[in-house]
Amino acid sequence: MEEVKNQQVVLKDYVNGFPKESDMLLNDSATINLKLPEGSNAVVVKNLYLSCDPYMRDRMSKSQGSYVESYTPGSVALTHCQIFQSVMNEYLIQHSNLPEDMDPIAGLGVAKVLDSGHSNLKKCDLVWGGTGWEEYSIINAPDTLFKIEHTDVPLSYYTGILGMPGMTAYAGFYEICAPKKGEYVFVSAAAGAVGQLVGQFAKLSGCYVVGSAGTKEKVDLLKNKFGFDEAFNYKEEQDLDATLKRYFPDGIDIYFENVGGKMLEAVLPNMRLKGRISACGMISQYNLEQGGGVRNLFHIITKSVRMQGFIVTHYFHMFPKYMDMIMPLIKQEKICYVEDLAEGLASAPAALVGLFSGRNVGKQVVVVARE
Amino acid sequence: MEEVKNQQVVLKDYVNGFPKESDMLLNDSATINLKLPEGSNAVVVKNLYLSCDPYMRDRMSKSQGSYVESYTPGSVALTHCQIFQSVMNEYLIQHSNLPEDMDPIAGLGVAKVLDSGHSNLKKCDLVWGGTGWEEYSIINAPDTLFKIEHTDVPLSYYTGILGMPGMTAYAGFYEICAPKKGEYVFVSAAAGAVGQLVGQFAKLSGCYVVGSAGTKEKVDLLKNKFGFDEAFNYKEEQDLDATLKRYFPDGIDIYFENVGGKMLEAVLPNMRLKGRISACGMISQYNLEQGGGVRNLFHIITKSVRMQGFIVTHYFHMFPKYMDMIMPLIKQEKICYVEDLAEGLASAPAALVGLFSGRNVGKQVVVVARE
């Protein structure tokens, strides 16, 4: 009776190398019942904003013991999702009970509750958390959803500054790096969903901060909108080590690592004694069969560097504390956030693929519906 | 009047690649006055035991901003030693006031005071700390020497278990790795000056510990003398990743890193969530023009690994605490220590060079004189 069409984005097959739009397809033949069966504990949501995140690349490969479970390409059903050992999955793996043979890509998003069998969620509530790349989703583990309390900010912010990337910047910078006033901070992929926040947090902490990005437009944003002290386009630099020596003649205390590979290799000799590297992502490596080797790790010893990887879900208990910090900063316009909005579910494959060529400027979001 | 001959080991020129015995020479023409001039604050010592340590390789290269100052090859005088930024140097750079144009190699050692202008040291006191590779040395900064209080243990132990390598194992394992009972520990270069202690500390902490070494003799030592649960000869393994999976089917919580390169690359995918890597040394890399690349650092993120480099001198304030722990363990024979003693100053070049081919079994010491 409440059966409606439900367009979906489906992964066609496991991806090798750089993902392409054609690795995904739009499935227009699926339908969904927007009314839950009697006694269900699930919720039905209408997806509003979907988040494009670099970690999703890892799920497009056949799993080799990664921290996130591989997606199941459309040709294979995965109706009963095995809960993996990884904490990430507790938050990210949400599969709708589709009657079809295809599952949409799973990711984070902002959604509106249409029907609820869960005591804490009711119709018209707004939530963010793990959902499907489709118009409507059935969320079988609604406890993993965050209820949205503040709606006087753009709702899409819950895919970014008020969501997982915001928490990533907060935990990765404050908790992992323990910044001190006057320290020298370098952020790679600095115009991205996380990097733009790390740079602004660094300035709020009284640090000197330099960011790298891959276009002139992004470099301008870093300097003129986000308040980085300096910024450079890494694609225009012949010798990244020399570049960093130019911007950090006294060395780097904190490196917020988003890219890996050659950039990390250039950073290591420039680290200061007791420097900290927050290893958040290594996007330069995700599409390589074999990552580029980092040949100078010995500097970790000689500079007493702490390099710490982290998974943001381990810090999700700190969300209330983060919200208390970030909401006033947003409202007082002491922090800003740039998003790159792709309109319509049909634009989702290109939006996701664009992350890996750096096409997005700021946080990449797909707008499925505005309410 | 007290002028005597003073044989020295001198570095002939900066070293590229693997050091050779012929990179050093024995200088038999130097003399030294064993009586200090009136008013001097220095001390004159007779060197008893000299310590061969892997970090010394770094000092044999022309300095490229390392954490230790380069040696000055014999052809260049360095009578006034510049104090470098590095903390290491405060302890290690001790140059004797030679009238000649040559300085001996500097290192750590155990020595007996022959004459003292320092209020806390008197004739016949035993000390350990930075000294020269020669029969007698004048120590211009005697505050950096540690006075030896316990003489009911082999004096050579102050180059190893009771000296810098002991403190390295203690700080690197307990302070950096924060071991918990039942955790899985892997130690590379496990039969060396530091590794043999880390393995025994791990057992004392209730951990499961596996060590790697480069000969059958060392592997036997690890299992039969130091009490490692398992040990393997890395030179006989075709696929180190598979080897580690065999010994650690549930993964590695703590990796005590002494070698770097391919071993680190094999360890990373085998790390457990929230694992810790104590980056103590990377001896496999020291003689390479360009270190071998580590291509899978992404595991640091996916496993939330903390990789922490350290310089032992930052922990020297903990020496009294370490002595309180280690002395009873030695006396109760709950811990043992294997040394490789090379007899005579003339054997020093071969002993030092041997570290880099793994010729030594246990801590490599040069016996200059027994008292």
Side-chain angles (χ1 to χ4, degrees):
Chain A
M1 147 179 137
E2 300 247 14
E3 193 89 0
V4 298
K5 284 200 147 238
N6 187 25
Q7 193 180 48
Q8 301 178 318
V9 179
V10 175
L11 184 66
K12 277 154 71 175
D13 201 356
Y14 291 118
V15 172
N16 293 312
F18 275 83
K20 305 175 299 295
E21 281 187 59
S22 59
D23 291 324
M24 292 163 267
L25 62 77
L26 280 175
N27 173 26
D28 287 316
S29 64
T31 60
I32 188 170
N33 191 326
L34 299 182
K35 194 79 194 150
L36 289 166
E38 205 63 44
S40 166
N41 299 314
V43 297
V44 182
V45 299
K46 178 181 182 185
N47 292 309
L48 304 180
Y49 300 96
L50 297 175
S51 180
C52 296
D53 294 299
Y55 80 85
M56 297 171 74
R57 171 64 188 83
D58 209 37
R59 300 191 66 186
M60 300 171 90
S61 300
K62 202 162 170 63
S63 180
Q64 299 176 310
S66 178
Y67 68 143
V68 286
E69 190 181 18
S70 292
Y71 290 127
T72 302
S75 52
V76 185
L78 183 73
T79 45
H80 298 287
C81 169
Q82 254 194 318
I83 298 302
F84 258 54
Q85 67 277 24
S86 152
V87 184
M88 201 71 176
N89 291 303
E90 292 170 29
Y91 291 92
L92 295 180
I93 299 191
Q94 305 292 337
H95 288 274
S96 47
N97 287 328
L98 294 174
E100 293 77 14
D101 283 332
M102 292 197 238
D103 273 354
I105 285 176
L108 294 168
V110 174
K112 189 163 80 173
V113 175
L114 299 183
D115 192 11
S116 172
H118 187 270
S119 55
N120 288 342
L121 293 172
K122 61 179 196 304
K123 190 171 168 174
C124 292
D125 276 352
L126 293 162
V127 293
W128 75 267
T131 188
W133 278 34
E134 55 191 341
E135 290 173 278
Y136 305 96
S137 295
I138 295 170
I139 313 289
N140 288 315
D143 278 332
T144 63
L145 295 172
F146 291 80
K147 194 163 160 180
I148 292 175
E149 309 286 355
H150 302 273
T151 56
D152 50 350
V153 289
L155 282 182
S156 53
Y157 275 17
Y158 290 93
T159 67
I161 185 171
L162 297 176
M164 185 273 280
M167 195 63 216
T168 299
Y170 179 74
F173 186 64
Y174 290 107
E175 295 296 310
I176 306 269
C177 297
K180 291 190 285 290
K181 191 175 169 183
E183 286 195 316
Y184 301 102
V185 177
F186 176 53
V187 186
S188 54
V194 175
Q196 59 176 299
L197 290 173
V198 174
Q200 293 179 84
F201 292 164
K203 288 313 300 172
L204 289 170
S205 303
C207 299
Y208 169 85
V209 60
V210 177
S212 66
T215 66
K216 183 179 182 309
E217 180 188 6
K218 293 180 190 179
V219 168
D220 288 343
L221 263 183
L222 293 180
K223 289 200 278 195
N224 303 322
K225 190 163 179 72
F226 302 130
F228 283 65
D229 294 288
E230 294 288 350
F232 64 88
N233 181 347
Y234 71 90
K235 290 178 182 168
E236 289 182 350
E237 301 293 329
Q238 301 301 310
D239 177 348
L240 288 170
D241 178 21
T243 305
L244 291 171
K245 283 190 168 48
R246 201 164 69 233
Y247 288 111
F248 295 98
D250 296 319
I252 298 168
D253 292 296
I254 291 174
Y255 173 44
F256 199 97
E257 166 70 302
N258 286 314
V259 304
K262 288 191 192 315
M263 187 64 91
L264 178 56
E265 207 169 66
V267 165
L268 286 169
N270 289 292
M271 289 302 289
R272 300 184 85 189
L273 201 64
K274 301 194 180 177
R276 289 135 273 155
I277 298 177
S278 180
C280 174
M282 295 190 178
I283 198 169
S284 74
Q285 307 294 299
Y286 297 174
N287 301 303
L288 306 177
E289 277 290 298
Q290 177 73 71
V294 174
R295 293 160 295 179
N296 55 2
L297 283 168
F298 184 61
H299 293 287
I300 284 182
I301 301 175
T302 61
K303 307 288 176 68
S304 291
V305 167
R306 173 164 55 83
M307 181 167 179
Q308 169 107 48
F310 70 104
I311 300 174
V312 65
T313 50
H314 294 154
Y315 296 89
F316 271 11
H317 63 280
M318 298 180 74
F319 243 113
K321 191 177 160 196
Y322 173 58
M323 289 297 282
D324 287 348
M325 180 197 104
I326 200 74
M327 286 301 297
L329 291 173
I330 294 173
K331 289 181 180 170
Q332 294 159 26
E333 295 181 4
K334 287 187 178 158
I335 213 155
C336 64
Y337 199 64
V338 169
E339 299 177 312
D340 195 329
L341 301 177
E343 295 291 332
L345 201 54
S347 70
L352 180 56
V353 165
L355 286 181
F356 302 98
S357 58
R359 208 189 59 170
N360 58 304
V361 179
K363 168 70 195 179
Q364 182 66 60
V365 183
V366 175
V367 185
V368 185
R370 293 197 184 262
E371 68 173 305
Chain B
M1 151 179 139
E2 302 247 13
E3 193 90 359
V4 298
K5 283 201 146 237
N6 188 24
Q7 193 181 47
Q8 303 179 317
V9 179
V10 175
L11 184 67
K12 277 155 69 177
D13 201 355
Y14 292 119
V15 172
N16 293 312
F18 276 84
K20 304 176 299 295
E21 281 186 57
S22 59
D23 290 325
M24 291 163 267
L25 61 79
L26 280 176
N27 173 25
D28 288 315
S29 64
T31 60
I32 187 169
N33 191 328
L34 300 181
K35 193 80 195 150
L36 288 167
E38 205 62 43
S40 167
N41 298 314
V43 297
V44 182
V45 299
K46 179 181 182 184
N47 292 309
L48 304 180
Y49 300 96
L50 297 176
S51 179
C52 296
D53 294 299
Y55 81 84
M56 296 171 75
R57 171 64 187 83
D58 210 35
R59 300 191 67 185
M60 299 171 90
S61 300
K62 202 163 169 62
S63 179
Q64 298 176 311
S66 177
Y67 67 142
V68 285
E69 188 181 18
S70 291
Y71 291 127
T72 302
S75 53
V76 186
L78 185 72
T79 44
H80 297 287
C81 169
Q82 253 192 319
I83 298 302
F84 257 53
Q85 68 277 22
S86 152
V87 185
M88 201 71 177
N89 291 303
E90 291 170 31
Y91 291 90
L92 295 180
I93 299 194
Q94 303 293 338
H95 288 275
S96 48
N97 288 327
L98 295 174
E100 290 79 14
D101 285 330
M102 293 197 237
D103 273 353
I105 286 176
L108 294 168
V110 173
K112 187 163 81 172
V113 175
L114 299 185
D115 192 13
S116 172
H118 187 271
S119 55
N120 287 341
L121 293 172
K122 62 178 194 303
K123 190 171 169 174
C124 290
D125 276 351
L126 293 161
V127 293
W128 75 268
T131 190
W133 278 33
E134 55 192 343
E135 291 174 276
Y136 304 96
S137 295
I138 295 169
I139 312 290
N140 288 314
D143 278 333
T144 64
L145 295 173
F146 292 81
K147 193 164 161 178
I148 292 176
E149 309 285 355
H150 302 273
T151 55
D152 51 350
V153 289
L155 282 182
S156 53
Y157 276 15
Y158 290 93
T159 68
I161 185 172
L162 297 176
M164 185 273 280
M167 194 64 218
T168 299
Y170 179 73
F173 186 64
Y174 290 107
E175 295 296 310
I176 306 269
C177 297
K180 290 191 285 289
K181 191 176 169 182
E183 285 194 318
Y184 301 102
V185 176
F186 176 54
V187 186
S188 55
V194 175
Q196 59 176 301
L197 290 173
V198 174
Q200 294 180 83
F201 292 163
K203 288 315 299 172
L204 289 170
S205 303
C207 299
Y208 170 86
V209 59
V210 178
S212 65
T215 66
K216 184 179 181 310
E217 179 187 7
K218 293 180 191 179
V219 168
D220 288 344
L221 262 184
L222 294 179
K223 289 199 279 196
N224 303 324
K225 188 161 181 74
F226 302 130
F228 283 65
D229 294 288
E230 294 286 352
F232 64 88
N233 180 346
Y234 71 92
K235 289 178 181 168
E236 288 181 351
E237 300 293 329
Q238 301 300 311
D239 177 348
L240 288 170
D241 178 22
T243 305
L244 291 172
K245 282 189 169 49
R246 199 163 73 234
Y247 288 111
F248 296 99
D250 295 320
I252 299 168
D253 292 296
I254 290 173
Y255 173 44
F256 199 96
E257 165 68 301
N258 287 314
V259 304
K262 288 190 192 314
M263 187 63 91
L264 179 57
E265 207 169 67
V267 164
L268 286 169
N270 289 294
M271 289 301 290
R272 302 184 85 190
L273 203 63
K274 301 195 181 177
R276 289 135 273 154
I277 298 176
S278 181
C280 174
M282 295 190 178
I283 198 169
S284 75
Q285 308 294 298
Y286 297 175
N287 301 303
L288 307 176
E289 276 290 297
Q290 177 74 71
V294 174
R295 293 160 297 180
N296 55 3
L297 283 169
F298 184 61
H299 293 287
I300 284 182
I301 301 175
T302 61
K303 307 288 176 65
S304 292
V305 167
R306 171 164 56 84
M307 181 168 180
Q308 169 108 45
F310 69 104
I311 300 175
V312 65
T313 50
H314 294 154
Y315 296 88
F316 271 12
H317 63 280
M318 299 179 74
F319 243 114
K321 192 177 159 195
Y322 173 58
M323 289 297 282
D324 287 348
M325 179 196 106
I326 200 74
M327 285 301 298
L329 291 173
I330 294 173
K331 290 182 180 171
Q332 294 160 27
E333 294 181 7
K334 287 187 179 157
I335 212 156
C336 64
Y337 199 63
V338 170
E339 301 177 306
D340 196 328
L341 301 179
E343 294 292 333
L345 201 54
S347 70
L352 180 56
V353 165
L355 287 181
F356 302 99
S357 60
R359 207 189 60 170
N360 57 306
V361 179
K363 168 66 193 180
Q364 181 65 60
V365 183
V366 175
V367 186
V368 185
R370 290 192 188 266
E371 68 174 305

